Amino acid sequence: MTPHPLLAELTTRVRAKAHATTTACPCGAPDTTGETGATNIQDTPTTTLTDRPDATVVRHAHTVAKAHAPDTDPTHLTQRLTTATLLPDILLPPLTPTPTHLHGRLITFWPYGTPVDPNNPDAAPWEEAATLLAHLHRTPITTPGLAPMRGPLKAAQAITRLRATTHPATTPVLRAWNTLPPWARAETPLPDTTTLCHGDLHLGQLVRHPAPDGPWRLIDVDDLGTGPPAWDLARPAAWYACGLLTPDEWTRFLTAYRMAGGPAVPATGDPWPALDVPARALTAQTAARSITKAVAAGRPLDDVEQALVDACDRMGSTPPELTSAFPK
């Protein structure tokens, strides 16, 4: 099958970028930046890591190219790339601090890092993820005009797609969503404009760099910005509250965050007054995405997806302002 023009050209670009930054590319192509892009892509180790409407990512040797979502704001993305460049001990820095254009999309180039192994959950870097988050949250913002983090906006977009979906599980998810305060639904400004946040933290957002066993770094700056730091803890918190993350893993994550001085929760005591609203929002977002994917695939919800919907059903009967704990 012939790849679509964006994917084909992105593959060419990542090869050229890889050959411009190293003299020992494993594909054996000559070290000439003006000609390598014309080499037959079928004969080289170029891999498509992601190909979705909102992101296309390809890898050639030690270089990765990403085509960002079509509606990506170039000014905001440049601010986020600048921030990553300034924080190489926390965020994976881009190879180039400004995006370029390709087929109407913004593209960026990155060094390759080894991702978390999904088949080895016992080795999941919960402590490292929490420590990186704490350091990020404690870092003064030095990028002028840095936009708000996009977490609530992405959650609201997932809910918008859910509203256009016909499925019995939409009702409890929408009911839970409607109990959230306006800022968590992206209807009003965020309550914190001074803390640097990742905006979309999960284990897929960590890599080891240099590969294969360098230190862990956070990746994917598309949602980076200012906002309430509790949002970055919300996904693991939600999974724990839904019974999808073990108490041991949650305790490891929370303890490491606190030990690193993370400001999202109190240093001791009950963390849930700070985490409850973001955790509810992430539960509704994840449930909404699960339902729309299941409907698109013509399949029933699996056990994990049903657990998220069930949690939304419980949440919908208990608004956040009436409880300090996520209902479990």
Side-chain angles (χ1 to χ4, degrees), residues 62-126:
H62 303 297
T63 303
V64 172
K66 177 175 182 177
H68 297 258
D71 61 349
T72 299
D73 184 293
T75 299
H76 292 170
L77 180 57
T78 299
Q79 293 169 340
R80 290 165 173 138
L81 294 171
T82 298
T83 302
T85 301
L86 295 172
L87 301 176
D89 293 335
I90 302 174
L91 298 162
L92 184 71
L95 295 176
T96 305
T98 54
T100 59
H101 292 267
L102 180 66
H103 289 282
R105 303 277 285 275
L106 295 174
I107 65 170
T108 52
F109 296 96
W110 305 84
Y112 175 74
T114 305
V116 175
D117 183 357
N119 297 316
N120 188 10
D122 292 339
W126 289 113

Side-chain angles (χ1 to χ4, degrees), residues 29 34 44 58 77-78 101 116 132 161 181 196 240 254 265 274 322-323:
T44 65
V58 297
L77 180 57
T78 299
H101 292 267
V116 175
L132 287 169
R161 290 189 291 269
L196 184 58
Y240 164 66
L254 180 63
V265 295
L322 298 182
T323 177

Side-chain angles (χ1 to χ4, degrees), residues 305-318:
E305 293 164 341
Q306 187 61 53
L308 292 165
V309 173
D310 291 344
C312 288
D313 198 20
R314 296 191 297 271
M315 287 159 45
S317 62
T318 316

Side-chain angles (χ1 to χ4, degrees), residues 175-182 184-185 276-278 280-282 284 315 320:
R175 186 169 58 242
W177 176 256
N178 290 333
T179 68
L180 296 171
R185 303 196 304 260
D276 191 57
V277 166
R280 288 170 178 262
L282 262 295
M315 287 159 45

Side-chain angles (χ1 to χ4, degrees), residues 99-160:
T100 59
H101 292 267
L102 180 66
H103 289 282
R105 303 277 285 275
L106 295 174
I107 65 170
T108 52
F109 296 96
W110 305 84
Y112 175 74
T114 305
V116 175
D117 183 357
N119 297 316
N120 188 10
D122 292 339
W126 289 113
E127 290 85 356
E128 292 86 348
T131 300
L132 287 169
L133 276 185
H135 291 168
L136 182 70
H137 295 163
R138 294 174 56 192
T139 299
I141 297 172
T142 58
T143 305
L146 184 64
M149 66 93 172
R150 298 179 68 250
L153 178 60
K154 289 185 67 174
Q157 291 170 342
I159 295 298
T160 297

